[in-house]
Amino acid sequence: MSVQPPPQNSSTSLDAHFEPYTDSVNPEEDTNKVNVHVQPVREVGRPARPWRRVLTGSAWTSVSSEDPQLAEQPTLKQRSCCSKFLRGLVRTLVGILIMLGIIQFISIACGIVLSFFPDEYDRAVNNWLPSTNNDPIQIQDTSTTPIPLPTRWPTDISRDITPVACHSHNDYWRRVPLYSALQAGCIGVEADVWLFDEELYVGHTTSSLTRERTLQSMYVNPLISILERQNPITEFHPSLDTPAHGVFDTDPDQSLIFLIDFKTAGPATYHAVVEQLAPLRERGYLTHFNGEEIIQGPITVVGTGNAPFNLINAGSSYRDIFFDAPLDKLVDIPEDDSTPDSDSEMETDSESESEATLIKRSNDHGQGQSGMPNKITANTFNATNSFYASVSFRASIGFPWPFHFTQKQMELIRTQVRIAHKHGLKVRYWALPSWPRSLRNHIWRVLALEGVDVLNVDDLVGATKGEWNTRVFDWWP
């Protein structure tokens, strides 16, 4: 027997009338009547519009301005003015960029064209070259008798040239190697050497080497010719000067620093360099250490790159090739020992080593890293075995961003300069930023003021003739 539920009155509503925000049934309504009332929810803001019409601004034309909230929104006219202003601003910026690009292109094109013409230093190098009749102080008149020129003298090839503490970086790239740097007054030049078939070739890479570009033809022989003209024997000067005069007539005591970058294996290249410097050595033109003191000469040879420190430092009684020490690895000398001891224990051990051991230790690790002792002490590098203390500016100091040195960078520069000078070494930074020129000039000025001894430069004119001030057009190459 099943129990039937009581019959439901069809007129009775199962759903109570529910007003929003109330929890009671409206007593005024008929409870038997189904009356579900939903109040519309009013939208806030603008109605949805197609995105294409939104971008064009036409989507808002049909919006009633009677709505106070919508009336506060920008009108179509206001939006149109703003859009025109933005379009005008963008067009102006694009126009400025186009003009800057055109100016940059013209500047580069002019630089390329001017590179085919010699600069003032290239035009003046003829003063360094011997005349056709092998007499630099005579000219040929219309007659057959040479007439001395009263404005010339035997050592005038470097007249009006003031030595400048700059280093001609990659000097072999110049239109007239060696002579352009000397005409600018640079006291240092650089040559990269590669040893092939017992000959030293000069070039930046092996692809740039030729049979004609050798260390002898590009540097050794020209230096001998220049120094012989700077040290003449005449009826007024019957004997040679001791020490010999250097390449600069305005400062005969200034030695030319000849930096030789070893690109091939250090030990073999070192012995080849020693052999090819023999003509300069025999004439007494090389700065050397005689076992007790440094004897200044017209040419100071410094080995860098894969130059092995242990081979350079091996000779205790004589050496005329000096090392390019790593500036960032110098150990500070205690205040109570301001002068490095050249007879240190490290040097004594080096002298007792066999040639085979020295060659074994001469690993090719680059500037200031080849043939190094197991431990660097305060007495490892000094003026008897090294000349420069160099390091990459970018690797050690870093880029001066934003276009000025930080306090940390300035303290590092001052510390490195102070330690190098206590060792008796000359400070040189390579890999300096070359552009923009205003930043380059700022770096040159700061380094010179902080005591850096030699500036590594590519632009001879800018380094020796120009003013290191900041100008607007210095931002162009």
Side-chain angles (χ1 to χ4, degrees):
M1 179 177 178
S2 62
V3 179
Q4 298 293 333
Q8 298 289 337
N9 189 352
S10 60
S11 63
T12 302
S13 174
L14 296 178
D15 298 330
H17 178 68
F18 185 78
E19 289 287 349
Y21 311 110
T22 62
D23 294 331
S24 60
V25 178
N26 191 343
E28 297 179 357
E29 296 291 338
D30 188 1
T31 57
N32 296 327
K33 182 179 179 181
V34 178
N35 185 11
V36 179
H37 178 70
V38 179
Q39 290 186 349
V41 179
R42 184 176 178 275
E43 293 184 358
V44 179
R46 296 182 181 275
R49 303 293 182 184
W51 66 272
R52 295 181 184 274
R53 297 179 62 193
V54 171
L55 293 179
T56 59
S58 60
W60 313 109
T61 56
S62 61
V63 178
S64 174
S65 61
E66 296 178 357
D67 193 327
Q69 293 186 359
L70 298 182
E72 296 177 358
Q73 301 292 336
T75 62
L76 177 61
K77 184 176 181 180
Q78 292 174 335
R79 289 179 173 272
S80 178
C81 293
C82 182
S83 178
K84 290 181 180 179
F85 173 76
L86 292 177
R87 285 197 298 268
L89 180 61
V90 171
R91 290 173 181 173
T92 302
L93 293 177
V94 171
I96 293 175
L97 292 177
I98 292 175
M99 290 299 298
L100 292 177
I102 294 175
I103 296 174
Q104 179 78 339
F105 173 78
I106 295 174
S107 176
I108 295 175
C110 292
I112 294 175
V113 173
L114 292 177
S115 66
F116 290 98
F117 298 92
D119 58 18
E120 58 177 300
Y121 296 144
D122 295 336
R123 291 192 297 268
V125 296
N126 289 330
N127 296 334
W128 297 84
L129 304 178
S131 59
T132 55
N133 59 356
N134 295 324
D135 189 351
I137 65 171
Q138 293 183 347
I139 61 172
Q140 192 72 23
D141 196 3
T142 54
S143 62
T144 58
T145 304
I147 301 177
L149 187 64
T151 59
R152 301 294 300 272
W153 61 93
T155 61
D156 68 344
I157 54 176
S158 58
R159 59 179 178 178
D160 299 331
I161 298 176
T162 302
V164 181
C166 66
H167 170 81
S168 179
H169 177 238
N170 291 341
D171 180 77
Y172 48 85
W173 272 348
R174 307 199 182 280
R175 184 181 298 273
V176 188
L178 178 62
Y179 295 104
S180 294
L182 295 180
Q183 186 65 32
C186 284
I187 63 172
V189 295
E190 177 182 346
D192 296 354
V193 296
W194 304 76
L195 179 63
F196 290 103
D197 300 329
E198 305 301 324
E199 184 62 79
L200 291 173
Y201 298 96
V202 177
H204 194 64
T205 59
T206 54
S207 61
S208 64
L209 303 181
T210 65
R211 291 291 179 182
E212 294 75 21
R213 294 170 61 87
T214 64
L215 184 66
Q216 286 281 339
S217 63
M218 294 183 66
Y219 290 96
V220 175
N221 293 338
L223 285 174
I224 292 175
S225 176
I226 292 172
L227 292 174
E228 286 181 347
R229 295 174 63 182
Q230 291 297 97
N231 296 273
I233 295 179
T234 67
E235 58 178 322
F236 303 103
H237 190 75
S239 61
L240 294 176
D241 293 298
T242 304
H245 287 175
V247 298
F248 297 107
D249 198 36
T250 56
D251 189 1
D253 296 330
Q254 175 62 56
S255 181
L256 179 67
I257 307 166
F258 187 20
L259 184 68
I260 302 179
D261 191 345
F262 293 26
K263 291 297 185 181
T264 45
T269 307
Y270 171 78
H271 292 299
V273 170
V274 170
E275 180 181 354
Q276 295 212 8
L277 292 177
L280 292 169
R281 185 180 302 110
E282 293 168 356
R283 291 170 172 81
Y285 290 155
L286 296 181
T287 299
H288 60 277
F289 174 65
N290 63 3
E292 296 180 357
E293 60 179 345
I294 299 293
I295 305 300
Q296 187 80 5
I299 307 295
T300 300
V301 179
V302 182
T304 188
N306 291 332
F309 174 71
N310 52 344
L311 293 182
I312 292 176
N313 193 48
S316 60
S317 59
Y318 181 88
R319 68 174 66 98
D320 53 28
I321 298 178
F322 298 88
F323 192 62
D324 185 15
L327 178 60
D328 57 337
K329 290 182 172 56
L330 295 182
V331 179
D332 197 2
I333 300 174
E335 294 298 333
D336 57 350
D337 186 16
S338 59
T339 303
D341 184 8
S342 60
D343 298 327
S344 62
E345 181 180 354
M346 186 276 303
E347 288 185 340
T348 304
D349 294 341
S350 178
E351 295 170 9
S352 62
E353 288 181 312
S354 64
E355 181 73 9
T357 304
L358 291 175
I359 294 177
K360 183 178 180 180
R361 286 177 49 195
S362 300
N363 298 323
D364 302 324
H365 296 304
Q367 185 264 325
Q369 307 296 326
S370 300
M372 299 297 292
N374 296 328
K375 181 180 179 181
I376 297 177
T377 66
N379 294 324
T380 301
F381 305 107
N382 52 72
T384 67
N385 57 33
S386 304
F387 184 86
Y388 275 140
S390 306
V391 72
S392 169
F393 182 86
R394 295 178 183 175
S396 179
I397 306 301
F399 191 84
W401 184 261
F403 302 116
H404 71 274
F405 289 99
T406 63
Q407 185 63 30
K408 182 179 179 181
Q409 289 175 322
M410 292 299 301
E411 292 176 356
L412 180 57
I413 292 174
R414 290 165 182 166
T415 300
Q416 291 180 346
V417 171
R418 177 180 56 82
I419 295 176
H421 287 173
K422 290 176 68 174
H423 284 77
L425 308 181
K426 307 293 184 182
V427 179
R428 180 182 70 97
Y429 288 101
W430 49 277
L432 296 173
S434 59
W435 189 88
R437 287 186 295 180
S438 58
L439 174 62
R440 179 203 66 185
N441 294 345
H442 172 66
I443 293 175
W444 285 353
R445 184 165 55 250
V446 171
L447 294 182
L449 292 175
E450 294 300 329
V452 173
D453 300 279
V454 178
L455 293 178
N456 206 74
V457 301
D458 294 296
D459 183 4
L460 297 179
V461 177
T464 60
K465 300 296 183 183
E467 297 180 359
W468 298 348
N469 297 325
T470 302
R471 299 185 179 91
V472 175
F473 292 101
D474 285 343
W475 291 86
W476 301 104

